[in-house]
Amino acid sequence: ESLLRLLPEEVAGYISPYKRRNCSMEKYPEKSPKKPRVIEERTVLVIQDGNCTAIRKRPSKGLLAGLYELPNTEGYLSREEALDYVKDLGTEPLYIEELPDAKHIFSHIEWRMKAYLIRVSSLEQTHAPGILFADKKESERNYAIPSAFGAYAKYMKEEIQ
C-alpha cells in the first residue's frame, strides 16, 4: 500500500518528509497561502482642451509596460492639488469635475482610483515631458489604453460642452 509502511523510521535515522511536515500523502504537496493583494490609491486626471486629451506612455518595464495611460499619480489628490498638478504641466485650468470612483484588480495589485475631468484652455501650452495629445477621433485607433483605465477612457471620446 504505502511507501511509508515499507520504510521503517529507524533505518539510518530516516524520517519521511510526510511525517516531518506532519501531513499525509494526500495533502502533499501543500500550496503556500496566497499573498494578500497590495492596494494602491491613485488619482487619474482626464485633462482636455476642446479637441484633445492628455495621455502619456507607460514605462517599457513593469505593470502595463509600453501602453498609454491617462496621467495619474499615486495617492488621492484633492481638487486643489489636482488643479496645481495641471498648472505645473504649464496649462491653465478652466473647469474641474470630480468623476466617479473606480477600481481595477490585477492578480497581485488592486488600484482604487479617484478621478477628475479637467478642462484646460489649451494643451499645446504644456511643457511636461512625455505628454501626448490624443485627438478624440484618433485616440481609440492609435493609442492602446489599458482596461485598468476603462472607467475613465470613455471620457476621451465624449464631446465637451
Side-chain angles (χ1 to χ4, degrees):
E1 289 188 288
S2 166
L3 186 61
L4 291 176
R5 292 187 186 173
L6 300 175
L7 295 173
E9 293 178 17
E10 304 87 47
V11 177
Y14 175 80
I15 299 175
S16 129
Y18 303 106
K19 289 200 180 221
R20 197 173 326 145
R21 294 184 75 192
N22 198 22
C23 64
S24 69
M25 287 179 73
E26 290 80 34
K27 293 182 185 174
Y28 192 77
E30 290 180 30
K31 279 188 170 182
S32 51
K34 240 183 172 180
K35 290 181 183 175
R37 194 176 287 125
V38 175
I39 295 175
E40 291 183 5
E41 295 177 340
R42 305 190 80 73
T43 301
V44 178
L45 302 172
V46 182
I47 307 167
Q48 299 178 324
D49 62 10
N51 304 312
C52 298
T53 302
I55 60 171
R56 64 184 179 198
K57 193 165 189 169
R58 292 188 56 82
S60 59
K61 293 187 182 208
L63 193 63
L64 305 173
L67 298 175
Y68 290 91
E69 67 179 357
L70 294 162
N72 64 88
T73 183
E74 288 187 27
Y76 290 148
L77 298 181
S78 67
R79 289 172 80 90
E80 292 75 26
E81 290 169 324
L83 290 171
D84 287 342
Y85 183 96
V86 171
K87 287 176 188 172
D88 289 345
L89 295 177
T91 61
E92 184 183 338
L94 303 173
Y95 168 84
I96 184 168
E97 175 187 337
E98 193 165 337
L99 299 174
D101 292 349
K103 75 176 173 180
H104 187 81
I105 298 174
F106 300 93
S107 59
H108 59 298
I109 296 174
E110 179 177 323
W111 281 359
R112 294 188 180 169
M113 297 174 283
K114 177 178 184 172
Y116 296 99
L117 172 63
I118 303 173
R119 175 89 185 262
V120 296
S121 58
S122 174
L123 282 172
E124 292 173 7
Q125 299 170 357
T126 188
H127 52 71
I131 296 287
L132 303 170
F133 314 116
D135 181 84
K136 284 185 176 118
K137 294 174 185 146
E138 297 176 4
S139 63
E140 194 171 0
R141 186 177 32 199
N142 295 335
Y143 303 103
I145 306 290
S147 63
F149 296 99
Y152 306 116
K154 65 184 180 186
Y155 294 97
M156 292 176 71
K157 301 171 195 118
E158 290 183 2
E159 289 299 315
I160 299 175
Q161 306 303 334

